[in-house]
C-alpha cells in the first residue's frame, strides 16, 4: 500500500506551495487539499501564464490526475464556481478530474458576514482575516452546527440551511451588526446547482482505495504551520490544523500512512494580517523584499509584512510537522543584497532561547542574528546545485546543518522551470 506524501508551508503562508505542488504533481496520481478554504491563494506560473487557485488542488494543470477536495476543507460555492469556471474558460476542464468530499463544510453567505462582524467587534485587536468566513465556518463545524457539502443532496436542505442562517442572524443581531445578505444568498443558491454537477464522494474511502491500488497521493497544505490553530501564534492564526496531522484528519488517512513530509519555506519570511513576527523589518530592506518579491496577498492584495528568515520558528515547524525534506523558495529575491541575516535565537528580556514562545504579549523579542555575505549574482540563471555561487551554498548548507533536514528543492523564480532538484 502506498503512502501519502504531504507538502506544508512552514511559515505564515504564501511560501510557494502552489508552485511546488504543480512541479511535483507529475510524480503523483492523486493531489488532495485537506484543510483551509478560499483564504488560500496558491500561485502557479507556466508557459507565460499565471493562475491563482483558492480551493482547487494545484495538481489540476498536469492533466489526468485525480484531484480531491477533502473533508477538512471549507468550501464557498460562490468562490468555487468562480474559480472553476475561470479555469474551464482557459481550457482546463475540471469535471472529470475533481471530486469533493461530502463531509467538507460549506461556507454560508452569513459566515462571511459573521467574519466581518467578529473582526469589527475585536477593534484594534482584530486578526486581519481574509474575510472569507473561515473562522465562523470551522466554529460551526466544531460546535456541531455546520452544513456539509453532502447536505445539498438532501430533500431537507432548505430546512438545514435556514436553521443555520437563523442562528447566524441572531448572533449578528446581538452584535448590532448591519448587513444585507439577499444578493449573496441568490448567488450562493445558484452556485449550489453548479456544485451538484461535480462528483460528491466519501473521499476517505476513495483515497484509501487509491492507496490500496498502489496510487501515489500528494496532500497539499494551505496556510502555514505558524498559522495553525494549535501551534501557531494564537490567536493570530487561521481556524484549521495546518500541520502534518491535519492531513490525516482532513483526508481520513491514518498516521501510519504518511510518507514524505515536504516542508516549504521562503529564504526570508512574510506574514499577512496581524500578529507577532519577531524578524520583521520596518526599514528599507523590508521594503526591498516586498518590492522585489512582489509580496502582496494573492487573495486580498494586502501588503505582506517582510523580514529575515527565522530559524527558531522554522525548527519549531519542522518539529511539529515531522518534515523529512525541505524546499527553499524565492532566494532569487535577495540576489543583490550585500548581507543577509538569519535569526538563530531570541533574546527575550535578556534571556536567550531557541524555542518558539507560548506568547509574546508584553515581551520584547530581539532576534539574535547570524550574518551571511550576499551572493550578488542572478540565481535564476542556475539550473544545477553546482551552478550556485559558493556564498549561496553556504547559506543553504547552514540551514541544513541547523535544522538537520536536507534542502532537496530550491526554487529561483515563479515559473515551473525555475526549480532545482538536488
Ligand atoms: P502559496 O500560497 O504558498 O502557494 O504562495 P503564493 O502563491 O501566495 O505566493 C508565492 C508567490 O511567490 C507567488 O507569486 C509565486 O508566483 C511566487 N514564487 C514562487 N516561487 C518563487 C521563487 O522561487 N522566486 C520568486 N521570485 N517568486 C516565486
Ligand atoms: P495560503 O494558503 C497567508 C492569514 C490571514 C490572517 C489569518 C486568519 O495562500 O498560504 P483567516 O481568513 O484564515 O481566518 O485569516 O491567517 N491567512 C493567510 N496568510 N497565506 C494564506 O494562505 C492565508 N490564509 C489565511 O491573513 O492573518
Ligand atoms: Mg498564498
Amino acid at each position: 500500500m502506498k503512502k501519502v506524501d504531504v507538502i506544508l508551508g512552514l511559515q505564515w503562508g504564501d511560501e510557494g506551495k502552489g508552485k511546488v505542488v504543480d512541479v511535483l504533481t507529475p510524480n503523483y496520481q492523486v493531489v488532495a487539499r485537506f484543510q483551509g478554504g478560499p483564504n488560500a491563494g496558491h500561485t502557479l506560473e507556466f508557459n507565460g501564464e499565471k493562475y491563482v487557485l483558492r480551493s482547487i488542488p494545484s495538481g489540476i494543470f498536469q492533466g489526468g490526475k485525480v484531484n480531491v477536495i477533502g473533508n477538512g476543507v471549507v468550501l464557498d460555492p460562490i468562490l468555487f464556481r468562480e474559480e472553476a469556471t475561470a479555469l474551464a474558460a482557459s481550457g482546463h476542464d475540471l469535471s472529470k478530474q475533481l471530486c469533493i468530499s461530502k463531509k467538507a463544510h460549506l461556507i454560508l453567505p452569513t459566515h462571511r458576514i459573521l467574519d466581518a462582524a467578529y473582526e469589527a467587534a475585536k477593534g484594534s485587536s482584530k486578526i486581519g482575516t481574509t474575510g472569507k468566513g473561515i473562522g465562523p465556518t470551522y466554529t460551526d463545524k466544531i460546535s456541531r452546527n455546520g452544513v456539509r457539502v453532502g447536505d445539498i443532496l438532501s430533500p431537507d436542505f432548505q430546512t438545514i440551511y435556514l436553521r443555520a442562517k437563523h442562528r447566524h442572524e441572531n448572533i449578528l443581531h446581538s452584535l448590532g451588526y448591519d448587513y444585507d445578505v439577499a444578493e449573496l444568498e441568490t448567488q450562493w443558491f445558484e452556485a449550489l446547482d453548479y456544485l451538484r454537477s461535480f462528483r460528491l464522494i466519501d473521499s476517505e474511502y476513495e483515497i484509501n482505495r487509491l492507496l490500496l491500488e498502489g496510487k501515489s497521493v500528494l496532500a497539499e497544505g494551505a496556510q502555514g504551520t505558524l498559522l495553525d490553530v494549535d501551534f501557531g501564534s494564537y490567536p493570530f492564526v487561521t481556524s484549521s490544523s495546518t500541520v502534518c496531522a491535519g492531513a490525516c484528519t482532513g483526508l481520513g488517512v491514518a498516521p501510519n500512512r504518511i510518507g514524505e513530509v515536504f516542508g516549504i519555506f521562503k529564504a526570508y519570511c512574510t506574514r499577512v494580517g496581524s500578529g507577532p513576527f519577531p524578524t520583521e523589518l520596518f526599514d528599507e530592506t523590508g521594503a526591498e523584499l516586498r518590492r522585489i518579491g512582489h509580496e502582496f496577498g494573492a487573495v486580498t492584495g494586502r501588503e505582506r509584512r517582510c523580514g529575515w528568515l527565522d530559524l527558531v520558528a522554522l525548527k519549531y515547524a519542522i518539529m511539529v510537522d515531522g518534515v523529512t525534506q525541505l524546499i527553499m523558495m524565492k532566494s532569487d529575491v535577495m540576489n543583490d543584497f550585500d548581507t543577509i541575516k538569519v535569526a538563530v535565537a531570541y533574546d527575550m528580556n535578556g534571556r536567550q532561547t531557541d524555542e518558539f514562545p507560548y506568547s509574546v504579549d508584553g515581551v520584547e523579542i530581539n532576534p539574535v542574528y547570524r550574518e551571511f555575505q550576499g551572493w550578488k549574482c542572478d540565481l535564476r540563471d542556475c539550473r544545477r546545485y553546482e551552478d550556485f555561487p559558493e556564498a549561496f551554498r553556504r547559506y543553504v548548507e547552514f540551514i541544513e546543518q541547523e535544522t538537520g533536514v536536507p534542502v532537496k528543492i530550491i526554487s529561483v523564480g515563479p515559473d515551473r522551470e525555475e526549480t532545482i532538484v538536488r
Side-chain angles (χ1 to χ4, degrees):
M1 187 167 177
K2 281 269 191 182
K3 298 220 167 182
V4 177
D5 293 344
V6 185
I7 189 155
L8 301 161
L10 299 181
Q11 295 162 324
W12 283 284
D14 303 326
E15 296 89 351
K17 298 175 288 292
K19 165 175 169 167
V20 173
V21 171
D22 174 59
V23 167
L24 293 178
T25 294
N27 306 334
Y28 294 88
Q29 284 142 317
V30 184
V31 180
R33 275 279 304 269
F34 59 88
Q35 47 70 231
N39 48 348
H42 295 179
T43 315
L44 293 79
E45 288 191 38
F46 52 90
N47 303 337
E49 299 285 339
K50 178 170 163 172
Y51 302 88
V52 178
L53 298 176
R54 295 160 133 195
S55 300
I56 293 169
S58 301
I60 208 79
F61 295 107
Q62 296 280 5
K65 310 289 173 181
V66 180
N67 286 272
V68 181
I69 295 182
N71 57 279
V73 171
V74 291
L75 194 69
D76 183 328
I78 301 175
L79 297 178
F80 171 73
R81 180 179 60 168
E82 225 172 83
E83 185 179 339
T85 51
L87 286 177
S90 64
H92 303 280
D93 178 23
L94 311 183
S95 53
K96 292 198 187 63
Q97 297 192 60
L98 182 68
C99 48
I100 303 169
S101 169
K102 286 196 283 189
K103 295 191 178 73
H105 279 243
L106 286 174
I107 301 178
L108 271 52
T110 37
H111 280 134
R112 275 206 229 174
I113 297 168
L114 279 170
D115 195 353
Y118 287 138
E119 282 285 82
K122 275 184 176 272
S124 62
S125 52
K126 70 175 183 179
I127 309 294
T129 72
T130 57
K132 303 292 181 236
I134 305 297
T137 308
Y138 278 114
T139 302
D140 276 359
K141 170 178 174 171
I142 300 300
S143 68
R144 300 162 293 187
N145 288 301
V147 181
R148 299 188 291 175
V149 167
D151 291 337
I152 68 175
L153 305 174
S154 160
D156 297 327
F157 180 66
Q158 196 68 16
T159 315
I160 296 170
Y161 170 77
L162 286 176
R163 202 185 303 137
K165 180 186 164 187
H166 287 146
R167 279 187 59 254
H168 297 163
E169 286 182 323
N170 287 336
I171 301 170
L172 289 164
H173 184 70
S174 72
L175 289 169
Y177 193 79
D178 237 3
Y179 66 96
D180 181 3
V181 74
E183 164 77 34
L184 211 52
E185 200 172 35
T186 308
Q187 287 178 30
W188 195 80
F189 274 96
E190 284 165 8
L192 285 188
D193 290 333
Y194 181 74
L195 187 57
R196 281 191 196 93
S197 71
F198 282 81
R199 212 152 64 84
L200 309 181
I201 60 164
D202 294 304
S203 60
E204 63 278 32
Y205 273 113
E206 179 97 354
I207 288 185
N208 281 288
R209 193 162 40 236
L210 288 163
L211 287 171
L212 266 177
E213 286 168 8
K215 303 276 190 329
S216 47
V217 179
L218 180 63
E220 173 181 6
Q223 290 78 54
T225 301
L226 305 177
L227 288 172
D228 179 81
V229 68
D230 283 278
F231 300 105
S233 43
Y234 193 88
F236 300 101
V237 293
T238 190
S239 298
S240 62
S241 293
T242 62
V243 293
C244 184
C248 297
T249 55
L251 293 176
V253 294
N256 62 357
R257 293 279 164 259
I258 300 295
E260 293 295 324
V261 181
F262 301 106
I264 305 200
F265 67 103
K266 280 182 203 179
Y268 50 95
C269 261
T270 64
R271 169 162 209 170
V272 206
S274 323
F277 182 176
T279 59
E280 183 166 10
L281 291 167
F282 299 95
D283 58 5
E284 188 46 37
T285 310
E288 285 276 277
L289 287 171
R290 186 173 311 110
R291 186 181 60 76
I292 304 169
H294 304 291
E295 295 296 357
F296 297 89
V299 173
T300 57
R302 287 180 291 176
E303 272 193 0
R304 292 178 184 151
R305 300 155 62 192
C306 297
W308 296 121
L309 180 64
D310 182 342
L311 278 183
V312 178
L314 191 70
K315 286 200 273 191
Y316 178 71
I318 290 171
M319 176 184 78
V320 296
D321 289 322
V323 172
T324 59
Q325 302 188 27
L326 286 168
I327 302 176
M328 183 158 101
M329 313 298 290
K330 300 191 87 160
S331 330
D332 54 293
V333 170
M334 300 194 290
N335 279 345
D336 293 324
F337 284 27
D338 293 324
T339 11
I340 289 159
K341 293 188 191 178
V342 179
V344 290
Y346 298 150
D347 185 312
M348 294 170 69
N349 297 345
R351 191 179 61 85
Q352 268 204 21
T353 177
D354 64 355
E355 292 197 355
F356 198 66
Y358 165 74
S359 159
V360 295
D361 269 355
V363 189
E364 196 186 324
I365 294 192
N366 290 306
V368 178
Y369 286 115
R370 163 95 180 233
E371 268 192 35
F372 288 81
Q373 194 194 325
W375 37 90
K376 305 284 271 180
C377 83
D378 192 353
L379 298 181
R380 292 178 80 155
D381 295 336
C382 303
R383 283 294 169 271
R384 296 173 314 150
Y385 188 69
E386 298 72 45
D387 297 339
F388 286 132
E390 202 189 324
F392 178 67
R393 281 188 270 138
R394 256 203 306 273
Y395 188 68
V396 176
E397 285 156 28
F398 177 73
I399 294 166
E400 290 184 316
Q401 187 192 317
E402 285 288 301
T403 59
V405 184
V407 177
K408 288 285 195 180
I409 299 177
I410 295 171
S411 167
V412 293
D415 196 272
R416 252 183 208 166
E417 306 298 320
E418 294 167 312
T419 315
I420 287 89
V421 182
R422 286 167 85 190

